[in-house]
Amino acid sequence: MAEDGSLPPRASIPSGDNSVWADVSPLLQAACQDLQEGELIHGDNFNLFAAMSALEIMDPKMDSGIACTYYSLDEAIENGVAPIPISADKTTDVRCMIDIMDHLLACEATWHKGHSLAQTVYSCLYLLRPERTSSHALLHSYCKVIRATCKAILSVVSQARTHEEEDLFTMAYGLPLSGDGDEKCLSMLNAVEETISRQLRACKVSSSKRRVPEDIEPLQNNPDLEEGYCKALLCRLRFRKHFYHLLMSMKRPQGRGLELARKHIASCISEIDYIRKCSEFLRANAHGISEQNLDNTTASGCQPIGFDASLNCRLSAPTPPRSIKIHSWEKVNLNVVCSYSLDPSLEAALLFVVKFQKSRPDLVARAHLQLLLVQDGKLYGRDPMFSMITGAAGLPGVTENYDFQKNEFMVQLGQLVINLLKILCTNAAWQRRKLGKMLQDWHVTYVQLEMTFKGEFEEASKTSNNKQKICFKIYQHILAWVEEQTYWIAFRFLNLGFELELYSVHDYCMVYWYIYVVLIKLTEKKHLRMAMSSDSAKKKTKKKRDSFKDGEIDYQIPAAVMFLQSQIYLAEGLSMMFAALRNECRIVPLQSPFNTEHEIFIQQFELLQKACVPDHISYVSFKESTMHANFSTLAICDYFKEAQRIAKEVKSSFANDPDTMAELCRVEQVAERNSIALNVCQAGALDPKLKISFTFCHHPFYATAIVKRS
Amino acid sequence: MDENVELDAWEIEYVSYGGEQHLPLVMNLVDQELSEPYSIFTYRYFVYLWPQLSFLVLPQLFHFQMVYGEHRNTFRGYIVMLVVIKPYRGRGIELVTRSIKVIMESGCEEVTLEAEVTNKGALALYGRLGFIRAKRLFHYYLNGVDAFRLKLLFPRSELHPSLPMMSDKYESHMQSDHGDAPFKE
């Protein structure tokens, strides 16, 4: 720096041989004054639409260069934003190091929820210049493992394509994702951990006033705090180590690392518990006032040193800066992914994903699940989709290589299943849109397979080839399964509308009615498929026991079908209840000046109607079903009572299935309460003070009616 | 001005966008009330191409803009921004109603917009007018909030030959109506 205190004038771009710089500000000013009002001078290929995503300098919402703390990383470092060592005092250095670790963890959790890496994890200035931390072993090793972790996660999310602005999530803008030697981050971490472990043992020995066996330099200078700080650091380092191992285990193909990942996840959770236990110690030793605040990102409650979120905003500005609140770390969603058992059953995989999504997992967990389920076009990278389909269709023994496996529509069906699994791993909003759109694909594929099937059937009737008969049966099973799966998708599409709050109270009548008609079809198709599977099994049994000549045992309706039956009654009951409320003027109907209920029906179910799901269902069907509903009639044929009865009956069949048992209990509760509400409404039909409202506190998408006197 | 005049009795003048003199007024209003940042080119895009579909309500009460255009073989109206200053909220329904009439009369089949899922006032307003929540858009806004895409489908004339094309003025007592619909298609 110049000693005389005067800075030299900023170097301008030098004039070239054939050019010279000139100030044209006055010329521009004069030219602008000559413009007509609203006139714009632009190039021929300029268009206003493309210019809409332009940034506007000096606008605080768009220009991240405004109101900044520092213009560059070098400037921030020179001004002591991220000092090394963090403090000359060793005790303070350790305390601040722990705060940095905690805040980084919170930034990581925030990033996993779909926010920008540059404004979360990499708002830590220590990460931005890898070699700079090399003199501080603890800080250096921790930064290395953070960078390696971010790199691993970015790789998974980039592969998975879960469609929620991954570009924002995965964009690294030249951030240093790997410094030299980050691949050896674990060995460095192990070395640091070993050092601190020895320091912990040393301070325990010295606290019992025996002679120290080795000459070990303590972690910091205050003997009374040594044990607390050693433990606080160790659990954080161990968490970091296990989390990295977890990610590496999950990367192994065909789910081979899943069991190891399970162990690491258990260790992570264990270390997080230790981290929580250390919080009281850290708060007690925090300098100044540490607020007991839910928004705290550090155990001590102190603001961490070395973070500046605005710095990266200026370095990476393709979009305006987003306001991001840093979350606290709550849970590890990957825990659920690791608990999966790789059941070679398509139905089990679908059920698992749906259950998994109920916990609202973050992007990282969902990306991992998707890659676990679908690799190289196979389930778990291991089981061919065709055999998964035949298994789901009730033909578990079919392993021979039949020609129709290569049929283009069978290949297409396999691709649809892969897409379905991937879509189910996305966020609920995107999931619903894609499920709605893929219904037409499923319907078209069904029609094409059916035509192929009929063609094969005509050939089969001419030549009574045994192989041909087997193909006939396989096609039959697959067709039944495809239809069932189509209605399953439709059912999920409609239910997600509740989760996403897409329906208003005025829509409930038509939505429950549509759920009711879809459920009827779903139940019908499932029953057909299960009957066919049962029939096939029976014939196999007969072949083995030719001497067995008793009549066929009475066919028992499967419990899974009865479960759906109870939901049919529940949906029908709700639809009719809403219709009765409207018909008897207990709910003020929607009165739009611009359109009618018909247009709303068209819009709500457009994608299902286009896919003929179900066929021959329209607004007219809906009106015919509901226009005469009233409470007197409903009380006589109480759908809710029927739903409740069936749910009770079928429970014993699901004793080994806690999830279905829980669902049955919810259905039973809603049915019971609605039946009571129905009777109250019927009895109090003349009482204008009765008010009815609806809540979803018992079930995510079947509403519970509440009747009160106002 | 007579201080005894009730707010409701103020004479309100609906004017179409009249040119460059209105632009700073509009930009200031939108910038104050909406969370999304918009560059000047965003405003110019809409008022240059569809000036007849942009409305202000004076004196300095509301600003409203809308566009329509071809969208996958349908004519779709799109409400870009609707802003009402706090003291005058509750009157927005009139402005929206007038605008939708214009869209309807121009031959559009439907109208769409987006609103934050947390914007109860806007959702109630549009819900009352017959908009459904067609989609939920994950992390749509820069502040991380989701959006609902709201849609209103106009009746086709062959379906409802007897339906009058317009209803009488729609009564409303909204507490707030704060639309927020950046163009993000």
Short mmCIF file of all heavy atoms in Angstrom, two decimals, chain A residues 37-38 49 51-52 54 56 61-62 113 164 322-323 427 429 433 500-502 590-595 599 603, chain B residues 20 31 34 37-40 42 45 48 129 132-133 135-136 138-139 142 148 151-153 155 160 167 170 183:
data_model
loop_
_atom_site.label_atom_id
_atom_site.label_comp_id
_atom_site.label_asym_id
_atom_site.label_seq_id
_atom_site.Cartn_x
_atom_site.Cartn_y
_atom_site.Cartn_z
N GLU A 37 -41.83 10.34 -26.36
CA GLU A 37 -42.26 9.69 -25.13
C GLU A 37 -42.53 8.20 -25.37
O GLU A 37 -43.21 7.84 -26.32
CB GLU A 37 -43.54 10.36 -24.62
CG GLU A 37 -43.99 9.84 -23.28
CD GLU A 37 -45.25 10.55 -22.82
OE1 GLU A 37 -45.14 11.64 -22.23
OE2 GLU A 37 -46.34 10.00 -23.08
N GLY A 38 -41.98 7.37 -24.51
CA GLY A 38 -42.19 5.94 -24.63
C GLY A 38 -41.40 5.26 -25.72
O GLY A 38 -41.54 4.07 -25.96
N PHE A 49 -39.98 -9.27 -23.99
CA PHE A 49 -40.27 -10.46 -23.18
C PHE A 49 -38.98 -11.00 -22.55
O PHE A 49 -38.92 -11.29 -21.36
CB PHE A 49 -40.94 -11.53 -24.04
CG PHE A 49 -41.33 -12.75 -23.26
CD1 PHE A 49 -42.50 -12.76 -22.52
CD2 PHE A 49 -40.52 -13.88 -23.26
CE1 PHE A 49 -42.86 -13.88 -21.79
CE2 PHE A 49 -40.88 -14.99 -22.53
CZ PHE A 49 -42.05 -15.00 -21.79
N ALA A 51 -36.35 -9.38 -22.01
CA ALA A 51 -35.76 -8.38 -21.11
C ALA A 51 -36.41 -8.39 -19.73
O ALA A 51 -35.92 -7.75 -18.81
CB ALA A 51 -35.87 -7.00 -21.73
N MET A 52 -37.52 -9.11 -19.60
CA MET A 52 -38.22 -9.09 -18.31
C MET A 52 -37.40 -9.71 -17.19
O MET A 52 -37.60 -9.41 -16.03
CB MET A 52 -39.55 -9.82 -18.44
CG MET A 52 -40.61 -8.97 -19.07
SD MET A 52 -42.25 -9.49 -18.57
CE MET A 52 -42.34 -11.06 -19.41
N ALA A 54 -34.29 -9.26 -16.79
CA ALA A 54 -33.11 -8.42 -16.56
C ALA A 54 -33.10 -7.92 -15.12
O ALA A 54 -34.14 -7.77 -14.49
CB ALA A 54 -33.13 -7.23 -17.51
N GLU A 56 -32.06 -4.83 -12.42
CA GLU A 56 -32.04 -3.38 -12.48
C GLU A 56 -31.09 -2.88 -11.40
O GLU A 56 -31.32 -3.09 -10.20
CB GLU A 56 -33.45 -2.83 -12.25
CG GLU A 56 -33.62 -1.41 -12.70
CD GLU A 56 -35.08 -1.06 -12.90
OE1 GLU A 56 -35.78 -1.79 -13.64
OE2 GLU A 56 -35.53 -0.07 -12.32
N LYS A 61 -34.19 -4.63 -4.35
CA LYS A 61 -34.72 -5.99 -4.45
C LYS A 61 -33.98 -6.82 -5.49
O LYS A 61 -34.04 -8.04 -5.48
CB LYS A 61 -36.20 -5.96 -4.82
CG LYS A 61 -37.13 -5.59 -3.69
CD LYS A 61 -38.56 -5.63 -4.20
CE LYS A 61 -39.56 -5.19 -3.15
NZ LYS A 61 -40.91 -5.05 -3.73
N MET A 62 -33.34 -6.13 -6.43
CA MET A 62 -32.74 -6.87 -7.54
C MET A 62 -31.23 -6.81 -7.55
O MET A 62 -30.57 -7.74 -7.97
CB MET A 62 -33.25 -6.31 -8.88
CG MET A 62 -34.61 -6.80 -9.24
SD MET A 62 -35.09 -6.27 -10.87
CE MET A 62 -35.94 -4.75 -10.47
N LYS A 113 -33.42 -28.00 1.95
CA LYS A 113 -34.84 -27.71 1.72
C LYS A 113 -35.05 -26.99 0.40
O LYS A 113 -36.18 -26.63 0.07
CB LYS A 113 -35.39 -26.88 2.88
CG LYS A 113 -35.47 -27.66 4.17
CD LYS A 113 -36.39 -27.01 5.16
CE LYS A 113 -36.37 -27.74 6.49
NZ LYS A 113 -36.65 -29.18 6.38
N GLU A 164 -37.48 -29.21 -8.93
CA GLU A 164 -37.85 -28.08 -8.09
C GLU A 164 -36.70 -27.10 -8.11
O GLU A 164 -36.04 -26.87 -7.11
CB GLU A 164 -38.17 -28.53 -6.68
CG GLU A 164 -37.26 -29.61 -6.17
CD GLU A 164 -37.93 -30.47 -5.13
OE1 GLU A 164 -38.03 -30.02 -3.99
OE2 GLU A 164 -38.33 -31.60 -5.47
N ARG A 322 -32.48 -13.92 -3.16
CA ARG A 322 -33.65 -14.46 -2.47
C ARG A 322 -33.49 -14.27 -0.98
O ARG A 322 -32.40 -14.37 -0.44
CB ARG A 322 -33.77 -15.96 -2.77
CG ARG A 322 -34.03 -16.21 -4.23
CD ARG A 322 -34.04 -17.68 -4.56
NE ARG A 322 -34.40 -17.83 -5.95
CZ ARG A 322 -35.43 -18.55 -6.39
NH1 ARG A 322 -36.17 -19.20 -5.54
NH2 ARG A 322 -35.70 -18.62 -7.66
N SER A 323 -34.60 -13.99 -0.31
CA SER A 323 -34.54 -13.89 1.14
C SER A 323 -34.65 -15.30 1.71
O SER A 323 -35.59 -16.02 1.44
CB SER A 323 -35.68 -13.02 1.65
OG SER A 323 -36.91 -13.57 1.25
N ASN A 427 -41.59 -33.41 -5.18
CA ASN A 427 -42.43 -32.68 -4.24
C ASN A 427 -43.89 -32.79 -4.66
O ASN A 427 -44.20 -33.02 -5.83
CB ASN A 427 -41.99 -31.21 -4.14
CG ASN A 427 -42.26 -30.43 -5.41
OD1 ASN A 427 -43.39 -30.04 -5.68
ND2 ASN A 427 -41.22 -30.19 -6.19
N ALA A 429 -46.39 -30.85 -5.16
CA ALA A 429 -46.98 -29.99 -6.18
C ALA A 429 -46.65 -30.49 -7.58
O ALA A 429 -47.53 -30.60 -8.44
CB ALA A 429 -46.49 -28.55 -6.00
N ARG A 433 -49.17 -32.63 -10.66
CA ARG A 433 -49.27 -32.24 -12.06
C ARG A 433 -48.88 -33.37 -12.99
O ARG A 433 -49.55 -33.63 -13.99
CB ARG A 433 -48.38 -31.03 -12.33
CG ARG A 433 -49.06 -29.71 -12.05
CD ARG A 433 -48.19 -28.56 -12.44
NE ARG A 433 -47.23 -28.24 -11.39
CZ ARG A 433 -46.16 -27.49 -11.59
NH1 ARG A 433 -45.90 -27.00 -12.76
NH2 ARG A 433 -45.36 -27.22 -10.59
N LEU A 500 -52.42 -30.33 -0.99
CA LEU A 500 -51.94 -29.08 -1.56
C LEU A 500 -52.93 -27.94 -1.39
O LEU A 500 -52.67 -26.83 -1.87
CB LEU A 500 -51.65 -29.29 -3.05
CG LEU A 500 -50.52 -30.26 -3.37
CD1 LEU A 500 -50.54 -30.66 -4.83
CD2 LEU A 500 -49.17 -29.65 -3.02
N GLU A 501 -54.06 -28.20 -0.74
CA GLU A 501 -55.09 -27.18 -0.49
C GLU A 501 -55.64 -26.61 -1.79
O GLU A 501 -55.93 -25.41 -1.87
CB GLU A 501 -54.53 -26.05 0.39
CG GLU A 501 -54.04 -26.52 1.74
CD GLU A 501 -53.44 -25.40 2.56
OE1 GLU A 501 -52.70 -24.57 2.00
OE2 GLU A 501 -53.70 -25.36 3.77
N LEU A 502 -55.81 -27.45 -2.79
CA LEU A 502 -56.31 -26.96 -4.08
C LEU A 502 -57.83 -26.85 -4.12
O LEU A 502 -58.38 -26.24 -5.02
CB LEU A 502 -55.84 -27.88 -5.21
CG LEU A 502 -54.33 -27.91 -5.45
CD1 LEU A 502 -54.00 -28.86 -6.59
CD2 LEU A 502 -53.80 -26.53 -5.76
N LEU A 590 -71.79 -21.19 -4.14
CA LEU A 590 -70.94 -20.23 -4.82
C LEU A 590 -71.72 -19.54 -5.93
O LEU A 590 -72.42 -20.19 -6.70
CB LEU A 590 -69.73 -20.95 -5.42
CG LEU A 590 -68.74 -20.10 -6.19
CD1 LEU A 590 -68.02 -19.14 -5.27
CD2 LEU A 590 -67.72 -20.98 -6.90
N GLN A 591 -71.64 -18.21 -5.97
CA GLN A 591 -72.36 -17.46 -6.99
C GLN A 591 -71.39 -16.58 -7.76
O GLN A 591 -71.24 -15.40 -7.47
CB GLN A 591 -73.44 -16.59 -6.33
CG GLN A 591 -74.58 -17.37 -5.71
CD GLN A 591 -75.51 -17.97 -6.75
OE1 GLN A 591 -75.47 -17.59 -7.90
NE2 GLN A 591 -76.33 -18.92 -6.34
N SER A 592 -70.71 -17.17 -8.71
CA SER A 592 -69.80 -16.39 -9.52
C SER A 592 -70.57 -15.67 -10.62
O SER A 592 -71.47 -16.25 -11.22
CB SER A 592 -68.75 -17.29 -10.15
OG SER A 592 -68.11 -16.63 -11.21
N PRO A 593 -70.22 -14.41 -10.89
CA PRO A 593 -70.89 -13.73 -12.00
C PRO A 593 -70.39 -14.19 -13.37
O PRO A 593 -70.95 -13.78 -14.38
CB PRO A 593 -70.52 -12.26 -11.77
CG PRO A 593 -69.24 -12.32 -11.02
CD PRO A 593 -69.29 -13.55 -10.17
N PHE A 594 -69.36 -15.01 -13.41
CA PHE A 594 -68.72 -15.30 -14.70
C PHE A 594 -68.90 -16.73 -15.18
O PHE A 594 -68.82 -16.97 -16.38
CB PHE A 594 -67.22 -15.00 -14.63
CG PHE A 594 -66.94 -13.56 -14.39
CD1 PHE A 594 -66.40 -13.13 -13.19
CD2 PHE A 594 -67.24 -12.61 -15.36
CE1 PHE A 594 -66.14 -11.80 -12.97
CE2 PHE A 594 -66.99 -11.27 -15.14
CZ PHE A 594 -66.45 -10.87 -13.94
N ASN A 595 -69.03 -17.68 -14.27
CA ASN A 595 -69.20 -19.04 -14.75
C ASN A 595 -70.02 -19.84 -13.75
O ASN A 595 -70.51 -19.30 -12.75
CB ASN A 595 -67.85 -19.71 -15.05
CG ASN A 595 -67.01 -19.94 -13.80
OD1 ASN A 595 -67.44 -19.63 -12.69
ND2 ASN A 595 -65.83 -20.46 -13.98
N GLU A 599 -68.38 -25.30 -15.23
CA GLU A 599 -67.02 -24.95 -15.64
C GLU A 599 -66.01 -25.39 -14.59
O GLU A 599 -64.90 -25.81 -14.91
CB GLU A 599 -66.89 -23.44 -15.88
CG GLU A 599 -67.42 -22.98 -17.22
CD GLU A 599 -68.93 -23.02 -17.29
OE1 GLU A 599 -69.59 -22.52 -16.36
OE2 GLU A 599 -69.47 -23.55 -18.28
N GLN A 603 -62.86 -27.95 -15.09
CA GLN A 603 -61.48 -27.61 -14.77
C GLN A 603 -60.86 -28.56 -13.75
O GLN A 603 -59.71 -28.94 -13.87
CB GLN A 603 -61.42 -26.19 -14.21
CG GLN A 603 -61.59 -25.12 -15.27
CD GLN A 603 -61.45 -23.74 -14.67
OE1 GLN A 603 -62.36 -23.24 -14.02
NE2 GLN A 603 -60.30 -23.13 -14.86
N GLU B 20 -46.64 7.23 -21.05
CA GLU B 20 -45.44 7.24 -20.22
C GLU B 20 -45.65 7.95 -18.88
O GLU B 20 -44.99 7.64 -17.90
CB GLU B 20 -44.31 7.92 -21.00
CG GLU B 20 -42.93 7.52 -20.55
CD GLU B 20 -42.57 6.08 -20.88
OE1 GLU B 20 -43.35 5.40 -21.59
OE2 GLU B 20 -41.51 5.63 -20.44
N ASP B 31 -44.03 -1.60 -6.63
CA ASP B 31 -42.82 -1.85 -5.86
C ASP B 31 -43.09 -1.82 -4.36
O ASP B 31 -42.53 -2.60 -3.60
CB ASP B 31 -41.76 -0.81 -6.23
CG ASP B 31 -40.39 -1.19 -5.70
OD1 ASP B 31 -39.94 -2.32 -5.99
OD2 ASP B 31 -39.80 -0.39 -4.96
N LEU B 34 -45.87 -5.22 -3.64
CA LEU B 34 -45.61 -6.62 -3.98
C LEU B 34 -44.19 -7.00 -3.58
O LEU B 34 -43.28 -6.18 -3.62
CB LEU B 34 -45.82 -6.87 -5.47
CG LEU B 34 -47.20 -6.54 -6.02
CD1 LEU B 34 -47.35 -7.06 -7.44
CD2 LEU B 34 -48.31 -7.09 -5.15
N PRO B 37 -39.51 -8.53 -7.21
CA PRO B 37 -38.89 -7.40 -7.92
C PRO B 37 -39.19 -7.48 -9.42
O PRO B 37 -39.14 -8.55 -10.01
CB PRO B 37 -37.40 -7.61 -7.66
CG PRO B 37 -37.25 -9.09 -7.48
CD PRO B 37 -38.55 -9.61 -6.93
N TYR B 38 -39.50 -6.34 -10.01
CA TYR B 38 -39.75 -6.28 -11.45
C TYR B 38 -38.90 -5.18 -12.06
O TYR B 38 -38.87 -4.07 -11.56
CB TYR B 38 -41.22 -5.99 -11.75
CG TYR B 38 -42.17 -6.98 -11.17
CD1 TYR B 38 -42.99 -6.64 -10.10
CD2 TYR B 38 -42.24 -8.27 -11.67
CE1 TYR B 38 -43.86 -7.56 -9.55
CE2 TYR B 38 -43.10 -9.20 -11.13
CZ TYR B 38 -43.91 -8.84 -10.07
OH TYR B 38 -44.75 -9.76 -9.53
N SER B 39 -38.25 -5.50 -13.18
CA SER B 39 -37.50 -4.46 -13.88
C SER B 39 -38.47 -3.65 -14.73
O SER B 39 -39.59 -4.06 -15.00
CB SER B 39 -36.43 -5.10 -14.77
OG SER B 39 -36.99 -5.52 -15.99
N ILE B 40 -37.98 -2.49 -15.17
CA ILE B 40 -38.83 -1.61 -15.95
C ILE B 40 -39.30 -2.28 -17.23
O ILE B 40 -40.37 -1.98 -17.77
CB ILE B 40 -38.09 -0.29 -16.25
CG1 ILE B 40 -39.04 0.74 -16.86
CG2 ILE B 40 -36.88 -0.55 -17.15
CD1 ILE B 40 -38.47 2.14 -16.92
N THR B 42 -40.34 -5.25 -17.56
CA THR B 42 -41.53 -6.04 -17.31
C THR B 42 -42.77 -5.20 -17.54
O THR B 42 -43.71 -5.63 -18.20
CB THR B 42 -41.52 -6.56 -15.86
OG1 THR B 42 -40.35 -7.34 -15.67
CG2 THR B 42 -42.74 -7.41 -15.58
N TYR B 45 -43.16 -4.32 -21.29
CA TYR B 45 -43.63 -5.44 -22.10
C TYR B 45 -45.15 -5.46 -22.17
O TYR B 45 -45.74 -5.57 -23.25
CB TYR B 45 -43.12 -6.76 -21.51
CG TYR B 45 -43.64 -7.99 -22.20
CD1 TYR B 45 -43.19 -8.37 -23.45
CD2 TYR B 45 -44.61 -8.79 -21.59
CE1 TYR B 45 -43.67 -9.50 -24.08
CE2 TYR B 45 -45.10 -9.92 -22.21
CZ TYR B 45 -44.62 -10.27 -23.45
OH TYR B 45 -45.11 -11.40 -24.07
N TYR B 48 -46.86 -1.89 -23.54
CA TYR B 48 -46.62 -1.63 -24.96
C TYR B 48 -47.50 -2.52 -25.83
O TYR B 48 -48.04 -2.10 -26.84
CB TYR B 48 -45.16 -1.89 -25.32
CG TYR B 48 -44.22 -0.77 -24.97
CD1 TYR B 48 -44.56 0.20 -24.03
CD2 TYR B 48 -42.96 -0.68 -25.57
CE1 TYR B 48 -43.68 1.22 -23.71
CE2 TYR B 48 -42.08 0.33 -25.26
CZ TYR B 48 -42.45 1.27 -24.33
OH TYR B 48 -41.58 2.26 -24.01
N LEU B 129 -65.09 -15.19 -7.26
CA LEU B 129 -65.41 -14.90 -8.65
C LEU B 129 -65.44 -16.15 -9.52
O LEU B 129 -65.72 -16.06 -10.71
CB LEU B 129 -64.39 -13.91 -9.22
CG LEU B 129 -64.45 -12.51 -8.62
CD1 LEU B 129 -63.29 -11.66 -9.10
CD2 LEU B 129 -65.77 -11.84 -8.98
N ILE B 132 -60.71 -21.42 -9.77
CA ILE B 132 -60.29 -22.59 -9.01
C ILE B 132 -58.77 -22.54 -8.86
O ILE B 132 -58.08 -21.84 -9.59
CB ILE B 132 -60.68 -23.92 -9.69
CG1 ILE B 132 -59.88 -24.14 -10.97
CG2 ILE B 132 -62.17 -23.98 -9.95
CD1 ILE B 132 -59.73 -25.59 -11.33
N ARG B 133 -58.28 -23.31 -7.88
CA ARG B 133 -56.83 -23.43 -7.72
C ARG B 133 -56.37 -24.60 -8.56
O ARG B 133 -56.44 -25.75 -8.14
CB ARG B 133 -56.49 -23.65 -6.25
CG ARG B 133 -57.04 -22.55 -5.36
CD ARG B 133 -56.87 -22.92 -3.91
NE ARG B 133 -57.60 -22.00 -3.05
CZ ARG B 133 -57.72 -22.14 -1.75
NH1 ARG B 133 -57.14 -23.17 -1.15
NH2 ARG B 133 -58.39 -21.28 -1.04
N LYS B 135 -53.34 -25.36 -9.84
CA LYS B 135 -52.04 -25.97 -9.54
C LYS B 135 -51.42 -25.29 -8.35
O LYS B 135 -51.73 -24.13 -8.05
CB LYS B 135 -51.06 -25.78 -10.72
CG LYS B 135 -51.39 -26.55 -11.96
CD LYS B 135 -50.46 -26.16 -13.09
CE LYS B 135 -50.85 -26.87 -14.38
NZ LYS B 135 -50.06 -26.39 -15.52
N ARG B 136 -50.54 -26.01 -7.70
CA ARG B 136 -49.69 -25.41 -6.69
C ARG B 136 -48.27 -25.45 -7.24
O ARG B 136 -47.81 -26.48 -7.71
CB ARG B 136 -49.78 -26.17 -5.38
CG ARG B 136 -48.97 -25.50 -4.28
CD ARG B 136 -49.38 -26.01 -2.92
NE ARG B 136 -48.56 -25.44 -1.87
CZ ARG B 136 -49.00 -25.22 -0.63
NH1 ARG B 136 -50.24 -25.52 -0.31
NH2 ARG B 136 -48.20 -24.72 0.28
N PHE B 138 -44.38 -25.09 -6.56
CA PHE B 138 -43.45 -25.26 -5.45
C PHE B 138 -42.37 -24.18 -5.48
O PHE B 138 -41.70 -24.00 -6.49
CB PHE B 138 -42.82 -26.65 -5.58
CG PHE B 138 -41.97 -27.07 -4.43
CD1 PHE B 138 -42.54 -27.49 -3.24
CD2 PHE B 138 -40.59 -27.07 -4.54
CE1 PHE B 138 -41.75 -27.90 -2.19
CE2 PHE B 138 -39.79 -27.48 -3.49
CZ PHE B 138 -40.37 -27.89 -2.31
N HIS B 139 -42.22 -23.43 -4.37
CA HIS B 139 -41.19 -22.40 -4.25
C HIS B 139 -41.20 -21.46 -5.45
O HIS B 139 -40.17 -21.17 -6.05
CB HIS B 139 -39.81 -23.03 -4.13
CG HIS B 139 -39.55 -23.64 -2.79
ND1 HIS B 139 -38.30 -24.10 -2.41
CD2 HIS B 139 -40.37 -23.88 -1.75
CE1 HIS B 139 -38.39 -24.60 -1.19
NE2 HIS B 139 -39.63 -24.47 -0.76
N LEU B 142 -39.55 -15.63 -5.09
CA LEU B 142 -38.16 -15.51 -4.66
C LEU B 142 -38.02 -15.62 -3.14
O LEU B 142 -36.95 -15.92 -2.64
CB LEU B 142 -37.57 -14.18 -5.13
CG LEU B 142 -37.30 -14.09 -6.63
CD1 LEU B 142 -36.76 -12.71 -6.98
CD2 LEU B 142 -36.32 -15.14 -7.09
N PHE B 148 -50.36 -20.51 -5.84
CA PHE B 148 -51.45 -21.20 -6.52
C PHE B 148 -51.60 -20.56 -7.89
O PHE B 148 -51.55 -19.34 -8.02
CB PHE B 148 -52.78 -21.03 -5.77
CG PHE B 148 -52.89 -21.84 -4.52
CD1 PHE B 148 -53.17 -21.22 -3.31
CD2 PHE B 148 -52.73 -23.21 -4.54
CE1 PHE B 148 -53.29 -21.96 -2.14
CE2 PHE B 148 -52.85 -23.96 -3.38
CZ PHE B 148 -53.13 -23.33 -2.18
N LYS B 151 -57.44 -20.25 -11.94
CA LYS B 151 -58.01 -20.25 -13.29
C LYS B 151 -59.51 -20.06 -13.24
O LYS B 151 -60.20 -20.61 -12.37
CB LYS B 151 -57.73 -21.58 -13.98
CG LYS B 151 -56.35 -21.72 -14.57
CD LYS B 151 -56.36 -22.90 -15.52
CE LYS B 151 -54.97 -23.24 -16.00
NZ LYS B 151 -55.00 -24.35 -16.96
N LEU B 152 -60.00 -19.30 -14.19
CA LEU B 152 -61.44 -19.11 -14.38
C LEU B 152 -61.76 -19.49 -15.82
O LEU B 152 -61.23 -18.89 -16.75
CB LEU B 152 -61.82 -17.65 -14.11
CG LEU B 152 -63.27 -17.27 -14.39
CD1 LEU B 152 -64.20 -17.86 -13.35
CD2 LEU B 152 -63.42 -15.76 -14.41
N LEU B 153 -62.60 -20.49 -15.97
CA LEU B 153 -63.00 -20.93 -17.31
C LEU B 153 -64.34 -20.30 -17.65
O LEU B 153 -65.30 -20.42 -16.89
CB LEU B 153 -63.11 -22.45 -17.35
CG LEU B 153 -63.55 -23.09 -18.66
CD1 LEU B 153 -62.50 -22.89 -19.74
CD2 LEU B 153 -63.83 -24.58 -18.46
N PRO B 155 -67.89 -19.95 -19.66
CA PRO B 155 -68.79 -20.92 -20.30
C PRO B 155 -68.68 -20.81 -21.81
O PRO B 155 -68.54 -19.72 -22.36
CB PRO B 155 -70.18 -20.48 -19.83
CG PRO B 155 -69.95 -19.58 -18.67
CD PRO B 155 -68.63 -18.94 -18.89
N HIS B 160 -74.32 -23.14 -22.62
CA HIS B 160 -75.27 -22.36 -21.84
C HIS B 160 -75.88 -21.27 -22.72
O HIS B 160 -75.58 -20.10 -22.56
CB HIS B 160 -74.58 -21.71 -20.65
CG HIS B 160 -74.06 -22.69 -19.65
ND1 HIS B 160 -74.87 -23.36 -18.78
CD2 HIS B 160 -72.80 -23.12 -19.41
CE1 HIS B 160 -74.13 -24.17 -18.03
NE2 HIS B 160 -72.88 -24.05 -18.40
N SER B 167 -73.43 -10.57 -15.28
CA SER B 167 -74.28 -10.38 -14.10
C SER B 167 -74.22 -8.93 -13.69
O SER B 167 -73.38 -8.17 -14.16
CB SER B 167 -73.78 -11.25 -12.95
OG SER B 167 -73.80 -12.60 -13.33
N TYR B 170 -71.15 -6.93 -8.78
CA TYR B 170 -70.95 -7.92 -7.72
C TYR B 170 -70.67 -7.21 -6.41
O TYR B 170 -69.77 -6.38 -6.32
CB TYR B 170 -69.80 -8.83 -8.11
CG TYR B 170 -69.68 -10.06 -7.26
CD1 TYR B 170 -70.54 -11.14 -7.45
CD2 TYR B 170 -68.71 -10.16 -6.27
CE1 TYR B 170 -70.43 -12.27 -6.68
CE2 TYR B 170 -68.60 -11.29 -5.49
CZ TYR B 170 -69.47 -12.34 -5.70
OH TYR B 170 -69.37 -13.46 -4.93
N PHE B 183 -45.43 -12.49 -13.87
CA PHE B 183 -45.50 -13.30 -15.08
C PHE B 183 -44.30 -14.23 -15.09
O PHE B 183 -43.16 -13.80 -15.26
CB PHE B 183 -45.47 -12.38 -16.30
CG PHE B 183 -45.71 -13.10 -17.58
CD1 PHE B 183 -46.99 -13.43 -17.98
CD2 PHE B 183 -44.66 -13.47 -18.39
CE1 PHE B 183 -47.22 -14.10 -19.16
CE2 PHE B 183 -44.87 -14.14 -19.57
CZ PHE B 183 -46.16 -14.45 -19.96
#
